[in-house]
Amino acid sequence: MKGKKNKKPASLPVIILLLIMIAGAAGFYFLHLSRVSNHGRPAYEEVYVSTSKFTKIMGEVDHLVYDILYEEGISEKDISFSEVIPRHEKNLDWDYTELKVRVTGSENINRLSEIISKKINSLKPDAVSESVSVSKKRHIININILGLHTHRIVLAPVFKKGQGTPGLPTVAFIIDDIGYDKSLAQSFLTLDIPVSLSVLPYAPYSKTIAGLILKNNGEMLLHLPMEPKGYPQVDPGKGALMSGMDRETIQQLIRDEIALLPGIKGINHHMGSLLSEDSTSMKFVMDEIKKYDLFYVDSRTSNKTAAYKIAKALGIPAAEKSLFIDNDLSEEMLKYQMDRLLGIARSKGKAIGIGHPHRQTYNILLKYSELLSKNYNVVYVSNLVE
């Protein structure tokens, strides 16, 4: 009995020590797991923005319009996205869309107008549709979401000459946020259409993937991190250009990040909805970029961006994103965004779509590759800078 009593006090510290060791190991494991998870899931500012009620309703409206047009048998060649313009009001960001639909016969125009208006008005009070009959052969449908004008749909049998572009429309694709998944980056490089890859400077596999891009004679951009409006909840990552930085700090960061990725042809920004609106900071950025033989693509994460305007003013070859193709990864909305992009290309002669390294994004580009190769001039984005 005495022996047993002596063992209890001796075993208690051992048990406590074991529990501490187990807890410590578990803590290390979960900390390590979270870091690995973060490496596999880089933050996309567009995903952060898209969590609002407004954007969810916008998605519902886009779904409805998409469904109606295809259910009514409207062919792709009769759909033209003539305007996709980023707007910002009441602390909300969205792409205002003007959609032109060619419909023959006044009865068909009236019927389609009624169907669209009825479907949209089923979402009242969040979404409201107002149909205006300009003439028997022309209807305009204006859609407001939460009191903001988001869509204008024009139904008519013909449109004026000059609103389309002779010859094949030109399309370019950029995949942002490259550097976290080697296999997926390689998949984009094997597509039958050219796709420019924009690489984050400090991601775990950036240098390895940069080597793959150059080996495959692909086109690489530096995905330059900049401060978003959601900071610090939304973190642009290491090496980000932040508001309040002086000229030398901004330009040294740019020099360091360009040096990390030899072989880049151009630059676009990662996040940056706050910094890209700051003309002074963007002047610092462009003054440094001008020292290199590089172009700049404005990612347009804010409708008030100064990036494109300043780049052009300084003589830097530049272009602007037309739209993001994969903020919603459902197959239906990926197809809708691709159709919007191609509609812009048909109307304006060219369009630039930006996507992210998702398997679904690769799949939609693979699915559209044959159509794109036959009916569009698909190029690296360097061919669309001016």
Side-chain angles (χ1 to χ4, degrees), residues 30 77 90 145 167 175 205 212 239 246 257 288 294 370:
F30 285 114
K77 64 182 178 63
K90 300 179 181 178
I145 296 176
I175 301 299
Y205 304 112
L212 288 174
D246 60 23
E257 292 170 21
E288 185 62 28
L294 300 171
E370 185 176 354

Side-chain angles (χ1 to χ4, degrees), residues 43-45 48-49 226-237 271:
Y44 309 134
E45 185 176 8
Y48 169 78
V49 172
M226 293 185 187
E227 184 177 358
K229 292 176 182 175
Y231 183 80
Q233 288 77 18
V234 182
D235 187 358
M271 300 195 180

Side-chain angles (χ1 to χ4, degrees), residues 40 65 100 104 117 156 249 278 284 300 320 374:
V65 172
K100 294 182 178 179
T104 56
S117 295
T249 302
D278 183 344
F284 297 160
R300 270 179 46 189
E320 296 178 286
K374 287 182 178 179

